[in-house]
Amino acid sequence: MILTVTLNTALDITYRVRSLRPHTSHRVTDVGERPGGKGVNVARVLAALGHEVTVTGFAGGATGRVVRDLLTDTAGVRDALVPVTGATRRTIAVVDERSGDTTQLNEPGPVIAPTEWDAFQDRYAELIASASAVALCGSLPPGVPVGAYAGLIRTARAAGVPVLLDTSGEPLRRGVAARPDIVKPNADELAELTGSHEPVRATQDARRRGARAVVASLGPAGLLAATPEGRWRATPPDRVHGNPTGAGDSAVAGLLSGLVEDLPWPDRLTRAVALSAATVLAPTAGEYDVRAYEDLHDQVRVTAEVSAA
């Protein structure tokens, strides 16, 4: 079982409009709802790849009930969310059908009480005992300690479970120091962590700070990986156009599934880039186009940066 942690779960709501214009009223042409938050998105892709996945984190209020109801309809995903008093946040995506652009509005999430955080840590310790790997993903809701991910990484390491961390800011800085197996920042997050805007140098620095492997997302340029086995760049065949929402989460699913399956790093990166590009091409934000993934998988280019890290 692969475990994904989403401390700031969400109900993702997508509105489609013909053309988004400020200061005017809009007629919505389509509305979609699905359970969201980075770890939930990762779990959905992992399940589609054939893995058994358990989702944990927090859920509360009427929105949290909707999230849990929708999770029951997600094949291959088990709900192990911890109930809280506050209401689960909503994220609103407004898609401009004319331009293809998406405007995102993200609520902050419920305030988590100390007793609720303690209850989550107890649930996490139970789940990690039967996990083959764990992904710690996304922002922290109010009330959760800034060093939360560092503590969760140490718990996983004590249980011998590999950890992938995908977050930003101070939670990323503290989490890296706890020595996760993989961190997956984007270029801006990596620069904020290391102070360097040169990706090769920044990935090296992030490894020195504690991460065993660093896989940096460079947007349309693909992924740059610095690992104990070597350094690679993985790029899609062409620049893909579409909605990038969830593309990074699909890359995380590719990396984590490759870890569990013990694939060589070039194969993990190929899968991650193909899934990410197929997510951009999908008609629904955060899903991936299966046919596009199959086509892209054979076209991703992986090149070695150096012979060893």
Side-chain angles (χ1 to χ4, degrees):
M1 176 269 288
I2 299 176
L3 179 65
T4 71
V5 174
T6 312
L7 295 177
N8 213 1
T9 53
L11 177 64
D12 288 346
I13 303 171
T14 302
Y15 294 136
R16 302 186 72 87
V17 298
R18 299 294 184 196
S19 177
L20 183 61
R21 302 183 305 278
H23 315 302
T24 63
S25 296
H26 296 79
R27 186 175 298 278
V28 176
T29 60
D30 183 68
V31 180
E33 289 186 341
R34 62 171 197 163
K38 293 180 73 63
V40 175
N41 296 339
V42 171
R44 186 184 297 109
V45 176
L46 285 169
L49 291 170
H51 289 274
E52 178 187 349
V53 192
T54 296
V55 170
T56 191
F58 297 111
T63 307
R65 287 193 294 274
V66 174
V67 167
R68 303 192 82 162
D69 288 344
L70 291 172
L71 276 175
T72 62
D73 297 327
T74 306
V77 177
R78 175 192 167 210
D79 171 9
L81 295 170
V82 175
V84 293
T85 301
T88 295
R89 67 185 178 131
R90 297 163 297 179
T91 66
I92 312 296
V94 183
V95 179
D96 184 323
E97 294 179 333
R98 185 179 64 180
S99 68
D101 292 337
T102 300
T103 299
Q104 192 84 14
L105 304 173
N106 296 328
E107 295 179 356
V111 176
I112 304 301
T115 54
E116 293 169 337
W117 174 236
D118 290 343
F120 169 79
Q121 292 181 92
D122 290 342
R123 175 69 60 85
Y124 177 78
E126 294 171 1
L127 293 168
I128 205 72
S130 58
S132 56
V134 58
L136 308 175
C137 302
S139 60
L140 302 179
V144 172
V146 71
Y149 283 138
L152 297 180
I153 290 167
R154 287 190 287 268
T155 298
R157 286 179 57 82
V161 177
V163 185
L164 186 153
L165 177 64
D166 182 14
T167 188
S168 61
E170 186 65 11
L172 173 61
R173 189 184 70 81
R174 297 198 186 193
V176 165
R179 299 175 60 82
D181 294 87
I182 305 173
V183 294
K184 206 287 298 172
N186 62 33
D188 290 339
E189 292 162 351
L190 184 62
E192 182 182 6
L193 172 67
T194 65
S196 173
H197 290 271
E198 202 292 304
V200 172
R201 182 179 302 166
T203 54
Q204 293 171 335
D205 187 16
R207 286 200 66 213
R208 284 192 291 268
R209 290 166 184 258
R212 179 172 172 80
V214 180
V215 181
S217 175
L218 305 180
L223 299 175
L224 173 66
T227 82
E229 289 77 31
R231 297 191 183 101
W232 294 271
R233 287 183 187 267
T235 55
D238 296 296
R239 185 184 180 96
V240 294
H241 298 278
N243 187 347
T245 303
D249 303 330
S250 292
V252 168
L255 295 171
L256 199 60
S257 62
L259 183 155
V260 170
E261 296 169 29
D262 199 26
L263 297 180
W265 268 104
D267 292 346
R268 300 185 200 184
L269 297 168
T270 296
R271 178 181 291 179
V273 169
L275 282 170
S276 181
T279 299
V280 174
L281 293 171
T284 302
E287 307 290 344
Y288 76 91
D289 185 308
V290 175
R291 182 171 296 180
Y293 166 66
E294 293 171 350
D295 292 341
L296 287 163
H297 189 277
D298 295 331
Q299 301 176 53
V300 173
R301 183 184 180 195
V302 180
T303 56
E305 290 285 301
V306 294
S307 59

